Amino acid sequence: MKLPFIIIIDDDVQVLRAIQRDVRNKFREDYKIIATESAIEALEAVKELKLKNETVALFISDQRMPEMEGTAFMEKAMEIFPEAKKILLTAYSDIEAAIKAINNLNLDYYLLKPWNPPEEKLFPVLNDLLDDWQNSFIPEFAGIKIIGYQWSPASHRIKDFLTGNLIPYKWIDVELNKEAAELIDIHKIDSAELPAVLFEDGTLLKCPAEIDLAKKIGLKSTALEELYDVVIIGAGPAGLAAAVYGGTEGLKTLMIEKRAPGGQAGTSSRIENYLGFPSGLSGADLTRRALTQASRFGVELLSPSQVVDINTKENYKILSLSSGSEIKTHTVIISTGVDYRTLDIKGISELTGAGVYYGSATAEAHSCKGKNVFVVGGGNSAGQAAMYLSGFAEKVFIVIRRSSLDSTMSRYLIDQIDKTKNISIISNSNVVEVKGENRLECITLENTKTGQQMVNEAVALFIFIGARPVTDWIKLNIFKDSKGFIETGRDSCKYENFKKIWKLERDPYLLETCIPGIFCAGDVRAGAMNRVASAVGEGAMAIKLVHEYLVSV
Ligand SMILES: Cc1cc2nc3c(=O)[nH]c(=O)nc-3n(C[C@H](O)[C@H](O)[C@H](O)COP(=O)(O)OP(=O)(O)OC[C@H]3O[C@@H](n4cnc5c(N)ncnc54)[C@H](O)[C@@H]3O)c2cc1C
């Protein structure tokens, strides 16, 4: 834990040395001490401490100093560390100024010089004030701080990235949190440069790109090896399971993730049907556990890093990354999952990230406190999001096209929703328009039966309307079904030009595509079950098949 500071200022060197010696002898174990003859120098030091996220517990200042009086110094210092205790060092002649400061400045004590013996005249006072400070002091949040406007898409992008990568942060809303003005002033941030991200070491990044944030939080973007046994594309449940099994099997394994590990499951507030977790677990928790497991077994992770192309050269597979670099591997597992479908209605592109969100219920739930929010979609992901949001919002409305949730949502979720007083279902309805100046202010719903439209005030709209496979980046001739899901195993054999591509005597393995050595697992696979458990199972199974492939080449 960081030690708090005691700052001592006195222009008389003899007095300064004496009080510094006494304070140091008694308090050096628990406090760091800065002593200076100059009030201006002291103020600079105080500002510097604030920039470094340090804390000041106590100011001890002489009253009569040439650069500025002690009371003037205290006034300025209190703007930076308002909770710190304040002692004025005074001569007899300055008692009047000290008493004035007690009233005007909330001075905690005035200490008459000299203070001998310190055991009687100095330490009891300091002990008392520092105890008091410790009792009321709430340590400042020590991690990453994001300062910005709630309804800015860039703020949402940064919060979403850090949440997805399991990095805790403190959100400081410029319009609601007083701390924002102070930080903006200290760090000289122009409002056009927001959002700004402040790190524990004092580094400030203004409106950073994900790649800059990734570097700063220590995520890796370059591969260590020349050649891998297996490269897994996508770190959702399927990819994570493949990584863990690849690592435990001793394969040289690399996993590449374009956004944040966890995939769709990572955005889930509560997965209740995953084996072995009777009271459920959050997607973030599942991801954290899996990542720890994978890294324990030596799996490398590149994130955020996007695979943009895949090619074969003899028996090798060559992956191209968006950074321009290439990775060579014996085998590949494609586990790129699915992406949310977007809602194509009037006004939506301008407000995405500014009140309209795709699958980010956990990152934005706090901003919905006491407000009305809408969730669009009748599947399990919409149900989970509504349940999670109901803990924050005044009212949650689930908008569905059908007349009930019965055919689209699991029974356990429907039961939970029925029992939750602040969730209502708006059935037979579509969202047809969203409106707002700089942020979402209202949405228009249309009844599918009557055509009647209704405008509703809303601060947030969370959209969960199904998904499409993430396969359009694949130019290689891998068979996909009519919706773009990847075919595997014997299902590839039914394609007309299968024999032109597949030249081995054996059929493709169960999770192998029509290109030998390229496997596929999870939601992106044609016929997948769209569940965490099945994605995990397929990821594990894919590694077993990778093994079989490797011994056969
Ligand atoms: C909100 C929500 C709640 C859910 N709740 C449950 C539940 O309670 N129980 C349950 O069983 N299932 C649940 N599901 C479904 C479950 O999460 C999915 O079935 C599962 O995540 C599929 O895993 P996956 O690894 O196949 O794909 P995904 O989870 O989709 O992961 C794919 C990953 O690949 C990455 N990627 C894509 N393209 C590239 C590329 N070119 N380069 C690098 N990386 C790439 C993506 O960024 C993503 O991280 C839920 C889904 C959602 C959205």
Side-chain angles (χ1 to χ4, degrees), residues 294-338:
S295 70
R296 225 187 94 207
F297 294 118
V299 174
E300 259 183 82
L301 169 68
L302 300 191
S303 172
S305 202
Q306 185 174 1
V307 179
V308 291
D309 204 2
I310 177 169
N311 279 297
T312 55
K313 196 173 179 190
E314 289 139 21
N315 268 339
Y316 298 110
K317 279 71 192 168
I318 314 293
L319 304 182
S320 310
L321 304 188
S322 51
S323 61
S325 58
E326 287 194 339
I327 286 165
K328 199 170 165 192
T329 172
H330 289 295
T331 64
V332 171
I333 298 175
I334 301 174
S335 51
T336 47
V338 297

Side-chain angles (χ1 to χ4, degrees), residues 49-53 140-148 158 162 167-170 172 179-180 182-184 186-187 189 194-208 213 216-217:
L49 290 178
K50 185 73 183 178
L51 285 175
K52 289 183 179 158
N53 275 330
E140 190 162 336
F141 177 78
I144 296 173
K145 292 176 181 170
I146 309 173
I147 310 143
I158 291 169
L162 291 177
I167 307 292
Y169 60 84
K170 180 177 176 187
I172 302 174
E179 196 185 343
E182 198 183 304
L183 290 171
I184 285 174
I186 290 175
H187 294 278
I189 308 166
L194 291 171
V197 184
L198 183 60
F199 293 84
E200 205 178 344
D201 64 2
T203 311
L204 181 86
L205 296 182
K206 294 170 181 173
C207 201
L213 283 170
K216 187 69 197 149
I217 59 181

Side-chain angles (χ1 to χ4, degrees), residues 354-413:
V356 174
Y357 307 107
Y358 290 93
S360 354
T362 47
E364 295 300 338
H366 287 270
S367 64
C368 302
K369 241 183 187 141
K371 316 251 171 65
N372 287 352
V373 303
F374 288 74
V375 173
V376 190
N380 282 356
S381 47
Q384 279 184 11
M387 282 303 299
Y388 186 70
L389 290 164
S390 70
F392 301 85
E394 172 77 17
K395 203 121 185 48
V396 181
F397 298 95
I398 303 179
V399 183
I400 52 170
R401 255 194 298 208
R402 295 171 190 245
S403 54
S404 82
L405 294 170
D406 291 343
S407 59
T408 53
M409 199 178 282
S410 296
R411 191 71 245 167
Y412 80 93
L413 266 172

Side-chain angles (χ1 to χ4, degrees), residues 491-509:
D491 286 343
S492 292
C493 306
K494 68 185 180 210
Y495 284 79
E496 219 177 76
N497 47 355
F498 173 69
K499 286 278 180 215
K500 282 190 198 151
I501 296 174
W502 187 265
K503 297 294 175 196
L504 302 181
E505 276 179 24
R506 65 171 175 87
D507 281 344
Y509 294 126

Side-chain angles (χ1 to χ4, degrees), residues 60-78:
I60 305 175
S61 171
D62 184 25
Q63 168 61 3
R64 283 202 188 182
M65 297 185 290
E67 290 172 344
M68 77 176 75
E69 290 195 332
T71 44
F73 167 80
M74 294 288 192
E75 213 169 331
K76 290 193 175 2
M78 294 324 286

Side-chain angles (χ1 to χ4, degrees), residues 192-241:
E193 297 168 326
L194 291 171
V197 184
L198 183 60
F199 293 84
E200 205 178 344
D201 64 2
T203 311
L204 181 86
L205 296 182
K206 294 170 181 173
C207 201
E210 280 89 333
I211 194 73
D212 299 322
L213 283 170
K215 273 190 204 140
K216 187 69 197 149
I217 59 181
L219 300 180
K220 269 185 33 185
S221 58
T222 30
L224 294 178
E225 305 284 344
E226 292 278 302
L227 175 67
Y228 290 88
D229 292 323
V230 58
V231 174
I232 301 155
I233 311 174
L240 286 164

Side-chain angles (χ1 to χ4, degrees), residues 99-139:
I99 290 173
K100 248 194 207 156
I102 289 181
N103 295 329
N104 299 342
L105 269 181
N106 243 342
L107 188 73
D108 295 287
Y109 200 82
Y110 65 88
L111 188 70
L112 288 177
K113 302 186 238 187
W115 52 85
N116 283 330
E119 289 75 14
E120 267 178 41
K121 297 200 175 144
L122 181 67
F123 298 156
V125 175
L126 262 55
N127 268 331
D128 196 35
L129 288 180
L130 289 171
D131 273 359
D132 205 22
W133 179 83
Q134 291 281 8
N135 285 337
S136 59
F137 176 68
I138 300 165

